[in-house]
Amino acid sequence: QVTLVESGGGLVQAGGSLRLSCAASGDTICISAMGWYRQAPGKERELVARITSGGLANYAPSMRGRFTISRDNAKNTVALQMNSLKPEDTAVYYCHVDTVTAAPYRALEVWGQGTLVTVSS
């Protein structure tokens, strides 16, 4: 079992920066991809960025160029550096992990509790 804990959310002015961090614990050997999603009030949860165990990253178009995802496999952490923040970035940001085991095969998704990011105009 994997447990995720996010940190780093808070209040920031438009144009500012925040760095989110997510720490995984438990059966971390099973972790494949790690990433961040966000959900604004009244809206569906959306992908922010994902990164594979090999370091290949994908970003949602609106986040590319402003956000950077990184991971430390030794520490079992994933971070999201957010720059040039906009009011529309205001949302609860959730850490997300894909876990996979080979024998027996098992594929599970794990979500953190979320951390609130508020960007003031």
Side-chain angles (χ1 to χ4, degrees):
Q1 186 64 260
V2 173
T3 300
L4 306 176
V5 179
E6 304 103 328
S7 63
L11 175 65
V12 65
Q13 295 180 342
S17 299
L18 282 176
R19 184 177 178 86
L20 306 182
S21 182
C22 174
S25 61
D27 296 333
T28 56
I29 191 174
C30 301
I31 295 175
S32 56
M34 307 180 76
W36 292 91
Y37 290 72
R38 70 184 185 186
Q39 187 168 24
K43 296 185 178 181
E44 296 182 358
R45 190 171 299 182
E46 64 175 342
L47 171 70
V48 176
R50 285 168 55 84
I51 186 168
T52 68
S53 60
L56 298 179
N58 293 319
Y59 300 90
S62 63
M63 271 67 81
R64 181 175 290 276
R66 299 188 299 122
F67 294 3
T68 302
I69 189 171
S70 61
R71 66 187 289 174
D72 187 331
N73 291 335
K75 297 181 179 180
N76 301 123
T77 59
V78 60
L80 183 70
Q81 178 65 47
M82 304 185 294
N83 300 323
S84 301
L85 284 164
K86 306 174 182 179
E88 53 262 42
D89 293 321
T90 296
V92 176
Y93 285 71
Y94 297 91
C95 184
H96 173 81
V97 165
D98 292 325
T99 65
V100 179
T101 59
Y105 176 80
R106 184 180 66 176
L108 297 174
E109 293 181 277
V110 183
W111 294 91
Q113 291 296 313
T115 184
L116 177 63
V117 172
T118 302
V119 184
S120 62
S121 60

